[in-house]
Amino acid sequence: MQSDLRSLIDRSQYVSFDIFDTAVIRSVLKPTDVFNLVELHYKEHGNELRFDYKTVRVEAERRSREIAWKTKKRSETTLEEIYRCMGEDFGIDLRTAENLRQLELDTEMKICIRNTFIHALYTYCLEKSKKVIFTSDMYLPLDFVEGIVHNTGYRKF
């Protein structure tokens, strides 16, 4: 199979890789497991949560997407909009929401690892002077996503 992919790369000028769950793998079983880790870390630092963080976080993302569609006709949302929704729709105080948002970013950075199979294809692309593009529909900020891509060994794109 890898020779088939290399053959496709050889015939292409541009090669695009999806970032999450393709070029970069999260070391959790499901993406929402990140929220379990966030809550665990938050509580380990002596903080108390009086709500089910994972449930609220998932619902805030869903509602944030609804709002984005109704107001801006876009199906994707941003991390900032999700946490704003947590405050406005679920009554989470601003300081708690900001601490959880930062902890989510920190956790995402820690659990993201390189997919070695895709990295080998990426390296082959560079050896063949192909233009490499990374794409994502992730709600994380662009500079943060670029940091994950860079930290996992994809430096030229």
Side-chain angles (χ1 to χ4, degrees), residues 6-17 124-126 128-133:
R6 287 178 187 233
S7 177
L8 284 171
I9 290 168
D10 290 342
R11 296 190 313 262
S12 302
Q13 181 179 359
Y14 300 94
V15 179
S16 178
F17 297 100
Y124 182 77
C125 289
L126 296 181
K128 297 295 183 175
S129 300
K130 304 299 178 179
K131 292 186 171 108
V132 175
I133 300 166

Side-chain angles (χ1 to χ4, degrees), residues 42-43 45-51 93 96:
Y42 190 79
K43 289 178 176 179
H45 287 91
N47 299 304
E48 185 180 341
L49 284 176
R50 296 191 170 152
F51 59 94
D93 72 271
T96 299

Side-chain angles (χ1 to χ4, degrees), residues 18-26 112-122 152-154:
D18 184 56
I19 298 170
F20 292 95
D21 303 321
T22 303
V24 173
I25 300 169
R26 292 175 172 138
C112 287
I113 59 174
R114 170 192 320 172
N115 179 334
T116 55
F117 176 77
I118 297 298
H119 192 269
L121 291 175
Y122 161 81
T152 53
Y154 302 97

Side-chain angles (χ1 to χ4, degrees), residues 16-34 61 65 108 111-119 134-140 145 148-149 152 154:
S16 178
F17 297 100
D18 184 56
I19 298 170
F20 292 95
D21 303 321
T22 303
V24 173
I25 300 169
R26 292 175 172 138
S27 58
V28 291
L29 188 58
K30 300 176 298 202
T32 56
D33 289 345
V34 170
E61 182 176 340
R65 287 180 194 281
E108 285 282 1
I111 66 163
C112 287
I113 59 174
R114 170 192 320 172
N115 179 334
T116 55
F117 176 77
I118 297 298
H119 192 269
F134 285 96
T135 60
S136 181
D137 61 355
M138 178 57 100
Y139 48 75
L140 297 170
V145 173
I148 288 174
V149 171
T152 53
Y154 302 97

Side-chain angles (χ1 to χ4, degrees), residues 2 13 26 32 44 82 89 99 117-118 136 143 146:
Q2 192 168 2
Q13 181 179 359
R26 292 175 172 138
T32 56
E44 281 178 350
I82 292 167
D89 292 3
N99 288 340
F117 176 77
I118 297 298
S136 181
D143 60 336
E146 287 175 339

Side-chain angles (χ1 to χ4, degrees), residues 75-114:
S75 59
E76 295 302 326
T77 190
T78 67
L79 192 64
E80 181 180 318
E81 291 168 340
I82 292 167
Y83 277 89
R84 185 178 318 124
C85 184
M86 285 177 72
E88 293 172 0
D89 292 3
F90 295 92
I92 310 304
D93 72 271
L94 185 61
R95 184 174 180 187
T96 299
E98 176 54 30
N99 288 340
L100 288 166
R101 186 190 69 77
Q102 187 57 53
L103 194 51
E104 182 174 339
L105 290 170
D106 295 345
T107 302
E108 285 282 1
M109 189 62 78
K110 288 176 187 171
I111 66 163
C112 287
I113 59 174
R114 170 192 320 172

